[in-house]
Amino acid sequence: MKAIEGGVTAAKGYKAAGTSAGIKKNGTMDMALIVSEVPCVAAGTFTTNVVKAAPVKWDQDIVYNHPYAQAIICNSGVANACTGAEGYGYCKQTAEAAAKILGIAADSVLVASTGVIGQQIPIDKITAGVEKLAPMVLPTLEGGTLAAQAIMTTDTVKKEVAVMVEIGGKEVTIGGCCKGSGMIHPNMCTMLGFVTTDIDITKELLQKALSASIRDTFNMVSVDGDTSTNDTVLLLANGMAGNEKITEENDDYRKFCDALNEVNTWLAKAIAGDGEGATALFEVKIVGAESKEQAVTLAKSVVTSNLTKAAIYGHDANWGRILCAMGYSGAQFDPEKVDLFFESEAGKLQIIENGVACDYSEEEATRILSEPAVTALADIKMGDATATAWGCDLTYEYVKINADYRS
Amino acid sequence: MKAIEGGVTAAKGYKAAGTSAGIKKNGTMDMALIVSEVPCVAAGTFTTNVVKAAPVKWDQDIVYNHPYAQAIICNSGVANACTGAEGYGYCKQTAEAAAKILGIAADSVLVASTGVIGQQIPIDKITAGVEKLAPMVLPTLEGGTLAAQAIMTTDTVKKEVAVMVEIGGKEVTIGGCCKGSGMIHPNMCTMLGFVTTDIDITKELLQKALSASIRDTFNMVSVDGDTSTNDTVLLLANGMAGNEKITEENDDYRKFCDALNEVNTWLAKAIAGDGEGATALFEVKIVGAESKEQAVTLAKSVVTSNLTKAAIYGHDANWGRILCAMGYSGAQFDPEKVDLFFESEAGKLQIIENGVACDYSEEEATRILSEPAVTALADIKMGDATATAWGCDLTYEYVKINADYRS
C-alpha cells in the first residue's frame, strides 16, 4: 500500500467539481459534485442522532434500498435539518435536477448538506448550482480538490487523501475528502466524508468494510461531544480497477479493509486536529483493556472531557483530570493499577504508576504537551484490548466561534 | 415553611467555624469544622466516579456502617484523591485529632477535602488546623457563615441557606452550605454540600429523604459534565427540635422532604449559577416526557452541550443546538412533535412548534437570553413526566480558568 496524491478523483472513473452557488453569504464555494462514469455500489454510515437531517434520510433510502449510486451532490451553508416534509422534498428535487443533466437515475444521486439547522435550503440556487456543476466536472486531481474545498465550512484546511494498493495483481485506489468542525457559523458542526474507490466488490462487503472501519476512525473523533444531525460518510466503488470481484472475506477483502482504514484514519485525524479553535490534535490511547468496548468508553470519555481539553490547551500535565474522566466514563477498572504516559514529537514521559503520581518533571511534561499533536496513553492492565480516540484542545477561540451570532 | 437567615448553624445545637490552616498558598481560609452538641443520625450521597477520593471512602464507611456522626471537618486546597493507602490514613488521623479535642468518637467524625488531585494532604497543617478550630466554633449564624466561606475554593460567592417548617407542632430547621466549581486552581471542581437539621428522624428515613432529594437537586447540576472524585453531600439530624420522632413515611416525613428539597434546590442552583466563568444560570426544563428517566436524560444532555452553552453565552437563540443535543441524548422522542420556549425575567417566547421554527423575533429572543438566569423549556408531548436541570453558559473565562497551570 502506498500514499498517493489526490482525493475523490484519484481512483479510476471519478470526476468532481466545486463551485459557488450563492448559498453562503460570503460568496465562497458552497456546492460540490462527485460523479462516477459508471454505476457504483454504495455504502454509508449516518448520524445516530434521533434528529436526522433530510439528506440523511434521502441517502439512507438509497444506500439501504437501491443497488447502485453514481453521484454525490453536496451543499454547505444550510443543513436542511429540522425542515420537515418540505426539506425532504428539496432533496428529491436536487437529486432529480442532477439526474436529468447527468443522464442517470434520480435514485442513484446521493445528497448531503451542512450548515445552519432549521432553515429551508434555497432550492432555486441549489438546482442552478447543479446545472452549473455538471459541465465543470474534471477527472483530474484538481477536480477532487475543488470538491474538497467546496464542502468546507470554515475548516481551516481542505482534507483529502488517497492510497493505492495492489489487489489480485491490479492497482486499486481509494481516495476521500471530508469536512469537519472548524466553524464560524454555529451549527456547522457536521462531519461529512466522501470516499471513492475503483475496486470491484459486492455492495454487502463494501458496507461491511465501511461499518467496521468507521468504528475505529470517524466514530473515534470528538471535537465537542455534540453529535450532528447531518453526519454522513459515503463510500462508492465503481469496479473499474478490474480486480477479480471481491465476493467473500478473503485476503483481497482484508487488504482492501486495511487500505480503507488508512484513508479513514487520516481523514478522521484531520478533522480532530482542525477542530474548532483547536491549537493541538489530542490523541487518547487506552491499552490493557479487557474488551474493545471498555477501551472505547474510556478513550472517548477522556477525549471529550472539557477539563482535560482545557489543560491540553494550557500545556498542563493535569493527569488528575484524565483519571477523573476515566472514572466517570461508566467503565469499570482499578484506578490503583493505572499507568499514564504523555507522548509527542518531543518525547514520552510516565506521569502515573499504579494510580499514583511518578516523580516526573513538570517542565518536561509541559515541553511534551506543547507540541501540535499530543498523546495521552493509559494502561489499565486488565487485558489486551485497545482503543484510540482523537480530539483537540478547548480554547478561547472555540467559545468565541460558538458564541457568535448566526450570520 | 419559611426561609430564614443562616446556614449550617441555623438549626438547634450546631456550632461551626472556619479558619486558615495554611493549606492554600494564598492564605485564605481553607478549613471548616461543623459540630453538633449531641450525636446525629447521618445520611450521605457520594460521587459515582470509580476514582473515589480517600475522604469519600472514609465517610461512606461512617454513613453506611455506624449509627451516629457528630462532626464534619473539611479542608480546601488539596483533594486527597489518588493518594492510595497513605491518603486514607490521613483521613483517619484527621478524624482522630478532631475526636480527641472534641471529646467524641473518631468514627463519628466525617471528613471532606477539595483541591488538587494526586497530592498528599499536609497532615501536620490539617491536625494543627483542627486544634485551632475546635475552640473557635460558634452556635451563631456567623459560625455557619465562616464555615461556608472556608470551604470555598474560588466560588465567587458563599452559598448558604436555611428554612424553618412546623412539624408536629415543633419548629424544625434545616440549614446548609455548599461549594461548587467557580475555580481557578484546576481540579477543584468538587461539589461539597453540608446540611444540618434538628429534626428527630430515623437514620433510614433520613437517608431515604436525602437520596430522593439529591436526584432532583444536586444531581441535576452540571457545570462541565466532569464528575469529580470528591463529590459529597452530608446531612446530619440531631433531633433537638423535639418533634415526635419520624419513624415512617407519614405527613411529617413528607413535610420534611419538601423542606429539604427547598434547601437542596437553592444550593444546587447556587452552584450552577456560580459555575466556572459563568455569566448566566441556564435552566433546562423538559415537560411532556413519558418517564422521569427520559426527561432527566434529555434535560442533562441539553444543559451539558458545549455548543448550546456557548450559544447561551452569546445570547443566541440557537435552538437547533438544543434539538440536536436532545437528539443525541440516547432518549427516544419524535423531533417533529417538540415545542421549544425560551424564558427569563424578560419574558417567554416560543421558538419551535412541532419541530419547526416559529416566526419569532431574534431580537426579542436575544433580549430574553440576555438575563442572568435563562430557561429553555421543551415539551415533547409524550406524557406527564418532567425534569429540570441547571447549568451555566460556556465562556472565555471557563477556558482561561482551566488552561492555567496548577499553582
Side-chain angles (χ1 to χ4, degrees), chain B residues 245-376:
Chain B
K245 185 169 187 167
I246 297 176
T247 59
E248 58 186 33
E249 296 178 45
N250 53 20
D251 288 349
D252 287 355
Y253 174 78
R254 283 180 284 277
K255 259 193 185 171
F256 172 69
C257 288
D258 291 345
L260 181 62
N261 263 324
E262 198 68 17
V263 168
N264 287 345
T265 301
W266 190 95
L267 292 172
K269 290 174 73 169
I271 288 172
D274 194 30
E276 310 164 70
T279 68
L281 169 67
F282 178 40
E283 181 176 70
V284 178
K285 277 188 189 167
I286 302 293
V287 304
E290 59 185 346
S291 71
K292 177 81 179 177
E293 184 189 19
Q294 179 194 35
V296 166
T297 300
L298 289 166
K300 281 191 161 183
S301 185
V302 173
V303 91
T304 54
S305 157
N306 279 348
L307 286 171
T308 302
K309 292 166 62 177
I312 295 299
Y313 177 50
H315 306 150
D316 181 6
N318 204 321
W319 61 269
R321 294 179 177 180
I322 291 176
L323 220 59
C324 180
M326 289 169 66
Y328 64 68
S329 67
Q332 293 302 313
F333 63 98
D334 181 355
E336 301 191 357
K337 279 193 187 155
V338 175
D339 290 356
L340 180 72
F341 303 80
F342 284 125
E343 196 172 3
S344 77
E345 288 291 320
K348 182 175 182 177
L349 182 66
Q350 181 162 13
I351 305 293
I352 310 180
E353 182 170 14
N354 294 321
V356 178
C358 304
D359 179 22
Y360 65 90
S361 149
E362 289 286 351
E363 292 61 35
E364 190 184 351
T366 295
R367 196 170 53 75
I368 288 170
L369 293 176
S370 299
E371 292 291 315
V374 301
T375 298

Side-chain angles (χ1 to χ4, degrees), chain B residues 233-246:
Chain B
V233 175
L234 296 170
L235 170 58
L236 301 181
N238 65 10
M240 290 178 72
N243 61 295
E244 186 187 336
K245 185 169 187 167
I246 297 176

Side-chain angles (χ1 to χ4, degrees), chain B residues 9 18 77 79 95 98 109 120 132 281 304 309 323 401:
Chain B
T9 52
V109 178
Q120 294 294 347
K132 184 173 168 190
L281 169 67
T304 54
K309 292 166 62 177
L323 220 59
I401 286 167

